[in-house]
Amino acid sequence: MSGGVGPVEPGEGTRAWEAEDAPARGVPRRSPVLFHGRHRRAVLGALAAVALLTAGGLLWATRPQERQQAAPKPPFPSQVVDVDYLGPLPVPPGTRPRTFALEVLLSVESGPPVTTTRLAQPYAGIFLASAPRAPFRTAAGSARKIVVTMHVTDCGNVPADAGLPFLDVTLRNARAIQDHSFILGSRYAQDLSQALQVACSNESGHHQNA
């Protein structure tokens, strides 16, 4: 049996809430059920609460799923970049004295593209240039060969034996800008030490400037 709530009759504090369907033949009609004014307000309040809960549940069920999880941040560039030493390279004829070249491989493992904005080395008596020149960009999953050319400008400010030389690289991606030092291993240290000895072999005490 279903029921409905009708408008309050003018001047009346109560009203009858009767069945919508007529009783079957031979079944006596039930007596009207009377609701006083305060009881009617309680019924209306309960119906409104049910409707509000239903609407809230519908909004929660149909909310956009992408709002539930924030997009992960990309990795820091130094976490996905590797620099490996490949070996020495011959310098072209006509190159100024005390100049030598080495080759390294810069690779990006994953994440957004990484831009190399600077390459440097720690010794004050050496000028460094790279090909390609910085800045240059490397995409994820790819690698780039870099020719590092060094020219000794002051033999007095370079070590006779480079024990643990490193390459300073500034990296930038969508997450951050980082200065990172890459130690390229013992073979790089040996080749660099030999190149410095050859470059400064005619310098007495490594004190004459270029």
Side-chain angles (χ1 to χ4, degrees):
M1 179 182 299
S2 61
V5 179
V8 178
E9 297 178 2
E12 297 290 336
T14 61
R15 69 176 299 275
W17 188 18
E18 298 180 353
E20 294 180 356
D21 298 330
R25 180 175 301 178
V27 178
R29 180 184 297 272
R30 293 185 180 180
S31 299
V33 181
L34 300 180
F35 286 89
H36 291 283
R38 65 175 181 272
H39 291 167
R40 179 175 177 273
R41 287 193 297 271
V43 171
L44 292 176
L47 292 176
V50 171
L52 182 61
L53 290 175
T54 302
L58 181 61
L59 290 175
W60 175 259
T62 58
R63 70 196 186 283
Q65 295 297 322
E66 61 271 11
R67 295 182 182 178
Q68 298 180 24
Q69 297 181 351
K73 292 182 179 181
F76 287 98
S78 62
Q79 295 176 332
V80 296
V81 171
D82 285 324
V83 178
D84 298 307
Y85 177 59
L86 298 181
L89 293 175
V91 294
T95 302
R96 57 182 173 172
R98 296 190 296 189
T99 299
F100 55 93
L102 308 168
E103 190 175 37
V104 299
L105 181 71
L106 185 146
S107 57
V108 178
E109 180 181 353
S110 60
V114 175
T115 300
T116 302
T117 62
R118 182 184 69 97
L119 286 95
Q121 51 77 43
Y123 305 120
I126 301 176
F127 172 79
L128 182 148
S130 68
R133 297 178 58 183
F136 55 84
R137 197 180 195 193
T138 308
S142 63
R144 181 189 295 270
K145 290 183 179 181
I146 305 169
V147 177
V148 177
T149 301
M150 299 187 189
H151 173 69
V152 179
T153 59
D154 184 358
C155 287
N157 285 322
V158 298
D161 185 11
L164 283 176
F166 52 86
L167 199 64
D168 291 327
V169 182
T170 301
L171 304 169
R172 183 183 75 228
N173 70 355
R175 176 73 180 274
I177 300 175
Q178 289 184 297
D179 294 322
H180 194 75
S181 297
F182 291 91
I183 298 177
L184 303 183
S186 59
R187 191 162 67 95
Y188 174 75
Q190 293 171 3
D191 290 347
L192 179 61
S193 295
Q194 183 178 358
L196 292 176
Q197 291 172 9
V198 171
C200 295
S201 59
N202 295 326
E203 299 293 333
S204 175
H206 287 187
H207 290 297
Q208 184 177 350
N209 292 339

